[in-house]
Tab-separated table of all heavy atoms in Angstrom:
chain	number	residue	atom	x	y	z
A	98	TYR	N	-2.304	-47.695	53.885
A	98	TYR	CA	-3.297	-48.326	53.029
A	98	TYR	C	-2.815	-48.318	51.580
A	98	TYR	O	-2.455	-47.241	51.075
A	98	TYR	CB	-4.645	-47.620	53.126
A	98	TYR	CG	-5.380	-47.866	54.447
A	98	TYR	CD1	-5.196	-46.943	55.513
A	98	TYR	CD2	-6.268	-48.891	54.611
A	98	TYR	CE1	-5.824	-47.124	56.710
A	98	TYR	CE2	-6.923	-49.093	55.857
A	98	TYR	CZ	-6.674	-48.225	56.883
A	98	TYR	OH	-7.340	-48.365	58.081
A	99	SER	N	-2.771	-49.460	50.983
A	99	SER	CA	-2.324	-49.540	49.551
A	99	SER	C	-3.247	-48.725	48.616
A	99	SER	O	-2.815	-48.283	47.557
A	99	SER	CB	-2.311	-50.998	49.084
A	99	SER	OG	-3.597	-51.596	49.160
A	100	GLY	N	-4.486	-48.518	49.054
A	100	GLY	CA	-5.432	-47.755	48.245
A	100	GLY	C	-4.960	-46.336	47.975
A	100	GLY	O	-5.388	-45.731	46.992
A	101	GLU	N	-4.123	-45.786	48.825
A	101	GLU	CA	-3.632	-44.442	48.600
A	101	GLU	C	-2.820	-44.298	47.330
A	101	GLU	O	-3.122	-43.585	46.357
A	101	GLU	CB	-2.804	-43.947	49.814
A	101	GLU	CG	-1.968	-42.709	49.572
A	101	GLU	CD	-2.732	-41.429	49.280
A	101	GLU	OE1	-3.980	-41.445	49.213
A	101	GLU	OE2	-2.068	-40.419	49.055
A	102	GLU	N	-1.758	-45.137	47.234
A	102	GLU	CA	-0.877	-45.085	46.068
A	102	GLU	C	-1.552	-45.668	44.849
A	102	GLU	O	-1.210	-45.316	43.716
A	102	GLU	CB	0.454	-45.781	46.364
A	102	GLU	CG	1.365	-44.998	47.372
A	102	GLU	CD	2.684	-45.628	47.497
A	102	GLU	OE1	3.585	-45.295	46.723
A	102	GLU	OE2	2.878	-46.454	48.433
A	103	ASP	N	-2.522	-46.566	45.062
A	103	ASP	CA	-3.207	-47.180	43.954
A	103	ASP	C	-4.252	-46.267	43.338
A	103	ASP	O	-4.875	-46.585	42.242
A	103	ASP	CB	-3.907	-48.506	44.357
A	103	ASP	CG	-2.893	-49.583	44.721
A	103	ASP	OD1	-1.746	-49.443	44.332
A	103	ASP	OD2	-3.318	-50.553	45.370
A	104	GLY	N	-4.551	-45.139	43.990
A	104	GLY	CA	-5.579	-44.245	43.535
A	104	GLY	C	-6.977	-44.862	43.636
A	104	GLY	O	-7.843	-44.673	42.767
A	105	ASP	N	-7.209	-45.641	44.658
A	105	ASP	CA	-8.396	-46.415	44.854
A	105	ASP	C	-9.603	-45.534	45.152
A	105	ASP	O	-9.588	-44.705	46.056
A	105	ASP	CB	-8.206	-47.436	45.975
A	105	ASP	CG	-9.444	-48.381	46.160
A	105	ASP	OD1	-9.583	-49.228	45.291
A	105	ASP	OD2	-10.164	-48.152	47.101
A	106	LEU	N	-10.666	-45.720	44.393
A	106	LEU	CA	-11.879	-44.939	44.502
A	106	LEU	C	-12.557	-45.167	45.867
A	106	LEU	O	-12.999	-44.149	46.485
A	106	LEU	CB	-12.863	-45.269	43.387
A	106	LEU	CG	-14.162	-44.439	43.320
A	106	LEU	CD1	-13.828	-42.991	42.988
A	106	LEU	CD2	-15.129	-44.989	42.313
A	107	GLU	N	-12.639	-46.356	46.313
A	107	GLU	CA	-13.324	-46.616	47.624
A	107	GLU	C	-12.543	-46.033	48.794
A	107	GLU	O	-13.110	-45.534	49.733
A	107	GLU	CB	-13.505	-48.139	47.854
A	107	GLU	CG	-14.588	-48.743	46.946
A	107	GLU	CD	-15.926	-48.086	47.181
A	107	GLU	OE1	-16.338	-47.869	48.324
A	107	GLU	OE2	-16.576	-47.747	46.106
A	108	PHE	N	-11.219	-46.097	48.708
A	108	PHE	CA	-10.403	-45.464	49.762
A	108	PHE	C	-10.657	-43.957	49.768
A	108	PHE	O	-10.819	-43.350	50.810
A	108	PHE	CB	-8.938	-45.765	49.529
A	108	PHE	CG	-8.003	-45.196	50.566
A	108	PHE	CD1	-8.018	-45.654	51.882
A	108	PHE	CD2	-7.069	-44.191	50.269
A	108	PHE	CE1	-7.170	-45.171	52.822
A	108	PHE	CE2	-6.254	-43.660	51.209
A	108	PHE	CZ	-6.282	-44.124	52.491
A	109	ALA	N	-10.666	-43.329	48.581
A	109	ALA	CA	-10.911	-41.910	48.482
A	109	ALA	C	-12.251	-41.541	49.010
A	109	ALA	O	-12.451	-40.565	49.678
A	109	ALA	CB	-10.759	-41.455	47.022
A	110	LYS	N	-13.283	-42.394	48.700
A	110	LYS	CA	-14.636	-42.136	49.210
A	110	LYS	C	-14.695	-42.189	50.691
A	110	LYS	O	-15.328	-41.347	51.376
A	110	LYS	CB	-15.593	-43.178	48.613
A	110	LYS	CG	-17.041	-42.949	48.983
A	110	LYS	CD	-17.943	-44.010	48.369
A	110	LYS	CE	-19.404	-43.751	48.762
A	110	LYS	NZ	-20.338	-44.771	48.234
A	111	SER	N	-13.947	-43.178	51.325
A	111	SER	CA	-13.907	-43.210	52.779
A	111	SER	C	-13.313	-41.971	53.382
A	111	SER	O	-13.775	-41.433	54.410
A	111	SER	CB	-13.106	-44.479	53.228
A	111	SER	OG	-13.717	-45.634	52.821
A	112	LEU	N	-12.276	-41.436	52.752
A	112	LEU	CA	-11.661	-40.206	53.226
A	112	LEU	C	-12.629	-39.026	53.087
A	112	LEU	O	-12.695	-38.165	53.947
A	112	LEU	CB	-10.388	-39.931	52.432
A	112	LEU	CG	-9.151	-40.798	52.633
A	112	LEU	CD1	-8.095	-40.528	51.645
A	112	LEU	CD2	-8.593	-40.641	54.107
A	113	SER	N	-13.420	-39.046	52.005
A	113	SER	CA	-14.293	-37.878	51.713
A	113	SER	C	-15.377	-37.771	52.803
A	113	SER	O	-15.914	-36.690	52.985
A	113	SER	CB	-14.964	-38.104	50.381
A	113	SER	OG	-15.955	-39.097	50.389
A	114	GLU	N	-15.725	-38.873	53.464
A	114	GLU	CA	-16.747	-38.871	54.521
A	114	GLU	C	-16.309	-38.141	55.789
A	114	GLU	O	-17.104	-37.957	56.693
A	114	GLU	CB	-17.145	-40.280	54.872
A	114	GLU	CG	-17.824	-40.989	53.626
A	114	GLU	CD	-18.007	-42.513	53.826
A	114	GLU	OE1	-17.438	-43.027	54.842
A	114	GLU	OE2	-18.636	-43.142	52.982
A	115	LEU	N	-15.036	-37.691	55.842
A	115	LEU	CA	-14.506	-37.117	57.066
A	115	LEU	C	-14.698	-35.582	57.099
A	115	LEU	O	-14.567	-34.966	58.158
A	115	LEU	CB	-13.001	-37.430	57.223
A	115	LEU	CG	-12.651	-38.909	57.205
A	115	LEU	CD1	-11.120	-39.069	57.231
A	115	LEU	CD2	-13.308	-39.678	58.314
A	116	GLY	N	-14.924	-34.964	55.947
A	116	GLY	CA	-14.983	-33.524	55.949
A	116	GLY	C	-16.073	-32.925	55.050
A	116	GLY	O	-16.637	-33.612	54.227
A	117	ASP	N	-16.258	-31.592	55.176
A	117	ASP	CA	-17.200	-30.870	54.361
A	117	ASP	C	-16.540	-30.164	53.193
A	117	ASP	O	-17.127	-29.932	52.150
A	117	ASP	CB	-17.930	-29.821	55.188
A	117	ASP	CG	-18.552	-30.338	56.467
A	117	ASP	OD1	-19.314	-31.304	56.354
A	117	ASP	OD2	-18.244	-29.831	57.542
A	118	ILE	N	-15.240	-29.870	53.395
A	118	ILE	CA	-14.452	-29.089	52.412
A	118	ILE	C	-13.120	-29.756	52.253
A	118	ILE	O	-12.577	-30.312	53.202
A	118	ILE	CB	-14.266	-27.625	52.893
A	118	ILE	CG1	-15.622	-26.885	52.800
A	118	ILE	CG2	-13.191	-26.908	52.136
A	118	ILE	CD1	-15.571	-25.494	53.392
A	119	TYR	N	-12.591	-29.724	51.001
A	119	TYR	CA	-11.283	-30.311	50.763
A	119	TYR	C	-10.324	-29.219	50.299
A	119	TYR	O	-10.633	-28.406	49.408
A	119	TYR	CB	-11.362	-31.365	49.634
A	119	TYR	CG	-10.008	-31.870	49.193
A	119	TYR	CD1	-9.364	-32.931	49.824
A	119	TYR	CD2	-9.379	-31.332	48.086
A	119	TYR	CE1	-8.145	-33.416	49.400
A	119	TYR	CE2	-8.133	-31.781	47.619
A	119	TYR	CZ	-7.537	-32.830	48.286
A	119	TYR	OH	-6.300	-33.290	47.854
A	120	ILE	N	-9.169	-29.136	50.930
A	120	ILE	CA	-8.105	-28.208	50.558
A	120	ILE	C	-6.852	-28.999	50.253
A	120	ILE	O	-6.404	-29.824	51.049
A	120	ILE	CB	-7.829	-27.181	51.715
A	120	ILE	CG1	-9.090	-26.407	52.123
A	120	ILE	CG2	-6.680	-26.287	51.262
A	120	ILE	CD1	-9.607	-25.500	50.983
A	121	ASN	N	-6.239	-28.737	49.111
A	121	ASN	CA	-4.959	-29.335	48.796
A	121	ASN	C	-3.846	-28.292	49.045
A	121	ASN	O	-3.874	-27.231	48.407
A	121	ASN	CB	-4.862	-29.824	47.372
A	121	ASN	CG	-3.648	-30.670	47.107
A	121	ASN	OD1	-2.635	-30.626	47.837
A	121	ASN	ND2	-3.699	-31.532	46.061
A	122	ASP	N	-2.935	-28.621	49.941
A	122	ASP	CA	-1.802	-27.715	50.207
A	122	ASP	C	-0.499	-28.515	50.129
A	122	ASP	O	0.487	-28.150	50.770
A	122	ASP	CB	-1.976	-27.058	51.612
A	122	ASP	CG	-1.291	-25.709	51.656
A	122	ASP	OD1	-1.322	-24.999	50.674
A	122	ASP	OD2	-0.757	-25.371	52.750
A	123	ALA	N	-0.536	-29.567	49.307
A	123	ALA	CA	0.618	-30.481	49.251
A	123	ALA	C	1.213	-30.506	47.824
A	123	ALA	O	1.011	-31.446	47.071
A	123	ALA	CB	0.170	-31.920	49.690
A	124	PHE	N	1.941	-29.471	47.491
A	124	PHE	CA	2.528	-29.446	46.156
A	124	PHE	C	3.498	-30.576	45.875
A	124	PHE	O	3.561	-31.106	44.772
A	124	PHE	CB	3.226	-28.061	45.912
A	124	PHE	CG	3.830	-27.928	44.540
A	124	PHE	CD1	2.984	-27.791	43.430
A	124	PHE	CD2	5.191	-27.979	44.337
A	124	PHE	CE1	3.506	-27.667	42.158
A	124	PHE	CE2	5.690	-27.867	43.023
A	124	PHE	CZ	4.843	-27.685	41.972
A	125	GLY	N	4.159	-31.004	46.934
A	125	GLY	CA	5.139	-32.085	46.779
A	125	GLY	C	4.596	-33.362	46.298
A	125	GLY	O	5.317	-34.240	45.818
A	126	THR	N	3.254	-33.551	46.451
A	126	THR	CA	2.627	-34.821	45.958
A	126	THR	C	1.601	-34.555	44.824
A	126	THR	O	0.932	-35.447	44.397
A	126	THR	CB	1.875	-35.507	47.129
A	126	THR	OG1	0.849	-34.669	47.605
A	126	THR	CG2	2.826	-35.874	48.252
A	127	ALA	N	1.577	-33.313	44.296
A	127	ALA	CA	0.610	-32.975	43.331
A	127	ALA	C	0.804	-33.683	41.976
A	127	ALA	O	-0.100	-33.732	41.160
A	127	ALA	CB	0.585	-31.447	43.141
A	128	HIS	N	2.019	-34.161	41.759
A	128	HIS	CA	2.313	-34.860	40.489
A	128	HIS	C	1.902	-36.360	40.546
A	128	HIS	O	2.053	-37.046	39.541
A	128	HIS	CB	3.766	-34.731	40.106
A	128	HIS	CG	4.719	-35.267	41.124
A	128	HIS	ND1	4.664	-34.993	42.478
A	128	HIS	CD2	5.782	-36.132	41.009
A	128	HIS	CE1	5.623	-35.624	43.093
A	128	HIS	NE2	6.331	-36.302	42.209
A	129	ARG	N	1.381	-36.824	41.680
A	129	ARG	CA	1.050	-38.191	41.795
A	129	ARG	C	-0.514	-38.377	41.804
A	129	ARG	O	-1.214	-37.668	42.535
A	129	ARG	CB	1.584	-38.778	43.110
A	129	ARG	CG	3.100	-38.636	43.218
A	129	ARG	CD	3.677	-39.439	44.352
A	129	ARG	NE	5.084	-39.114	44.612
A	129	ARG	CZ	6.087	-39.606	43.872
A	129	ARG	NH1	5.833	-40.407	42.834
A	129	ARG	NH2	7.330	-39.339	44.134
A	130	ASN	N	-0.994	-39.284	41.009
A	130	ASN	CA	-2.424	-39.495	40.891
A	130	ASN	C	-2.897	-40.479	41.975
A	130	ASN	O	-3.461	-41.538	41.680
A	130	ASN	CB	-2.821	-40.004	39.519
A	130	ASN	CG	-4.310	-39.853	39.241
A	130	ASN	OD1	-5.006	-38.993	39.849
A	130	ASN	ND2	-4.849	-40.722	38.399
A	131	HIS	N	-2.613	-40.091	43.231
A	131	HIS	CA	-2.970	-40.934	44.361
A	131	HIS	C	-4.400	-40.647	44.832
A	131	HIS	O	-4.971	-39.600	44.461
A	131	HIS	CB	-1.942	-40.749	45.469
A	131	HIS	CG	-0.619	-41.361	45.178
A	131	HIS	ND1	0.460	-41.197	46.000
A	131	HIS	CD2	-0.185	-42.110	44.138
A	131	HIS	CE1	1.523	-41.792	45.440
A	131	HIS	NE2	1.110	-42.391	44.303
A	132	ALA	N	-4.926	-41.444	45.724
A	132	ALA	CA	-6.337	-41.297	46.149
A	132	ALA	C	-6.567	-39.932	46.765
A	132	ALA	O	-7.549	-39.267	46.455
A	132	ALA	CB	-6.728	-42.375	47.149
A	133	SER	N	-5.667	-39.498	47.651
A	133	SER	CA	-5.840	-38.273	48.393
A	133	SER	C	-5.589	-36.965	47.572
A	133	SER	O	-5.943	-35.880	48.045
A	133	SER	CB	-4.995	-38.239	49.661
A	133	SER	OG	-3.634	-38.142	49.339
């Protein structure tokens, strides 16, 4: 989905509906302001 690299708010919102808690364990992508 192009929304990932675009930092799209609606794409991020759709992802947020999948879980109760968010954990970031991806340092390799932490420098990118992507949706996830």
Side-chain angles (χ1 to χ4, degrees):
Y98 289 89
S99 61
E101 166 63 1
E102 291 186 86
D103 293 343
D105 183 73
L106 184 66
E107 286 304 313
F108 181 68
K110 184 179 179 182
S111 295
L112 290 171
S113 74
E114 294 169 353
L115 305 177
D117 306 307
I118 289 173
Y119 173 86
I120 301 294
N121 191 338
D122 209 36
F124 182 71
T126 62
H128 59 311
R129 304 190 188 282
N130 195 26
H131 290 173
S133 67

